[in-house]
Each structure stands twice: as structure tokens, then as C-alpha cells.
Amino acid sequence: MAVHTAESNEARRKDVRRVDRVIIRFAGDSGDGMQLTGDRFTSETASFGNDLSTLPNFPAE
């Protein structure tokens, strides 16, 4: 059984900041699952009511 102390609760606290804009870049090859990662991230972010725009960058072959 885990015992939670005030110190362990204090260590788990996180500061929350509200920001107007955030840029998140996922980098990798399509074979690494980057398209799926972007698709899942887009779906989850939109489900929380966030506005989202994506810009896929397909390299020349």
C-alpha cells in the first residue's frame, strides 16, 4: 500500500499556464507512423474543443 505524504503531493503539483498559441511539430518518416500520430493528435485535440490547423509537409521523392 502506498502512503502519500504532503511532500509527495507537493512534488506532483504542476503549474498551469494559459497561452494563446502553441506550435507542436512531429518529425519522422511516414513509415515511422507520423501520419497516424498527426491524425490521432488532431482528433484528440479537436475533441477537447481546441481550434487546430495542420500543415503536412510531404518531401519530394
Side-chain angles (χ1 to χ4, degrees), residues 3-23:
V3 177
H4 296 287
T5 64
E7 185 177 318
S8 65
N9 287 338
E10 191 70 30
R12 283 188 276 162
R13 251 185 218 160
K14 296 182 180 180
D15 292 331
V16 176
R17 294 187 307 165
R18 294 190 184 271
V19 295
D20 291 331
R21 292 183 176 191
V22 175
I23 296 174

Side-chain angles (χ1 to χ4, degrees), residues 6-60:
E7 185 177 318
S8 65
N9 287 338
E10 191 70 30
R12 283 188 276 162
R13 251 185 218 160
K14 296 182 180 180
D15 292 331
V16 176
R17 294 187 307 165
R18 294 190 184 271
V19 295
D20 291 331
R21 292 183 176 191
V22 175
I23 296 174
I24 299 174
R25 293 182 180 170
F26 297 105
D29 294 326
S30 294
D32 294 339
M34 286 296 106
Q35 290 176 334
L36 180 60
T37 300
D39 182 58
R40 296 272 172 94
F41 180 77
T42 301
S43 298
E44 289 299 313
T45 301
S47 72
F48 284 102
N50 295 315
D51 291 331
L52 179 74
S53 85
T54 61
L55 180 63
N57 185 5
F58 300 105

